[in-house]
Amino acid sequence: MSNIREIYLAGGCFWGTEAFMQRINGVIDAQSGYANGSTENPSYQDVCSGSGHAEVVKVTYDANKISLETLLDYYFKVIDPISINQQGEDKGIQYRTGIYYSNLADKDVVTQALNSLQAQYNQPLAVENKPLEHYFPAEEYHQDYLDKNPNGYCHIDIQLMNEILNNQK
């Protein structure tokens, strides 16, 4: 019997985060979108113009195949958790890091994972840990972007992504 859950991960530009998450065993789907801003159903232009949304990836996963803790461990490998409003060359509030949960039971798991991660850094983490206020899927051209554009920009080192995922087998 499947145990389908969702978590929303902000890790800079959603193209690379989406491509990475889709490759993890136990992840059913990863969808690019916008979360926790001030505009209903924002466009990409709204998000880039200060609507306050984060570029996020809605990760749908089978908790019988992968735990939230393991999923977060993978996420932490491809973000700079102490960088404020920036990942790679992408700068702006929409590129902040964050974990947004829709299930209150996930809050403690996220908090514990972030506390463990914090022990590895001298500076405070910049990763938000908040309930999901709202989520809007990004425009179709953003979905599966790196599959459609294999030479497209990605702030995540694709070689690192492959190495991480090859070690999960």
Side-chain angles (χ1 to χ4, degrees), residues 119-138:
Q120 301 170 36
Y121 291 89
N122 293 326
Q123 300 109 310
L125 297 182
V127 182
E128 291 184 330
N129 174 9
K130 294 184 175 180
L132 181 72
E133 295 170 16
H134 48 257
Y135 168 80
F136 303 98

Side-chain angles (χ1 to χ4, degrees), residues 1 5 14 17 30 45-46 57 60 63 67 70 106 111-112 116-117 126 135 150-151 158 160:
M1 183 172 186
R5 303 220 181 141
F14 44 36
T17 307
Q45 289 71 27
D46 293 332
V57 175
T60 305
S67 68
T70 301
D106 290 341
T111 299
Q112 186 174 350
S116 295
L117 183 65
Y135 168 80
N151 296 319
I158 300 297
L160 171 66

Side-chain angles (χ1 to χ4, degrees), residues 19-31:
F20 179 66
M21 289 293 151
Q22 286 175 337
R23 290 168 169 81
I24 296 173
N25 291 334
V27 170
I28 297 165
D29 189 37
Q31 179 187 57

Side-chain angles (χ1 to χ4, degrees), residues 130-146:
K130 294 184 175 180
L132 181 72
E133 295 170 16
H134 48 257
Y135 168 80
F136 303 98
E139 296 85 347
E140 183 56 37
Y141 72 91
H142 288 298
Q143 306 302 332
D144 304 310
Y145 184 84
L146 291 178

Side-chain angles (χ1 to χ4, degrees), residues 8-91:
Y8 299 77
L9 304 174
C13 175
F14 44 36
W15 296 339
T17 307
E18 178 195 49
F20 179 66
M21 289 293 151
Q22 286 175 337
R23 290 168 169 81
I24 296 173
N25 291 334
V27 170
I28 297 165
D29 189 37
Q31 179 187 57
S32 293
Y34 312 115
N36 291 16
S38 61
T39 306
E40 285 290 315
N41 202 24
S43 68
Y44 181 67
Q45 289 71 27
D46 293 332
V47 173
C48 292
S49 299
S51 68
H53 291 85
E55 287 195 13
V56 299
V57 175
K58 174 185 176 184
V59 180
T60 305
Y61 65 101
D62 184 340
N64 290 339
K65 294 182 179 176
I66 187 168
S67 68
L68 179 55
E69 295 89 345
T70 301
L71 200 57
L72 293 176
D73 284 344
Y74 281 120
Y75 165 70
F76 294 151
K77 291 178 187 332
V78 294
I79 64 165
D80 177 352
I82 58 173
S83 181
I84 299 171
N85 296 335
Q86 178 177 354
Q87 292 293 299
E89 298 300 313
D90 299 313
K91 298 176 185 171

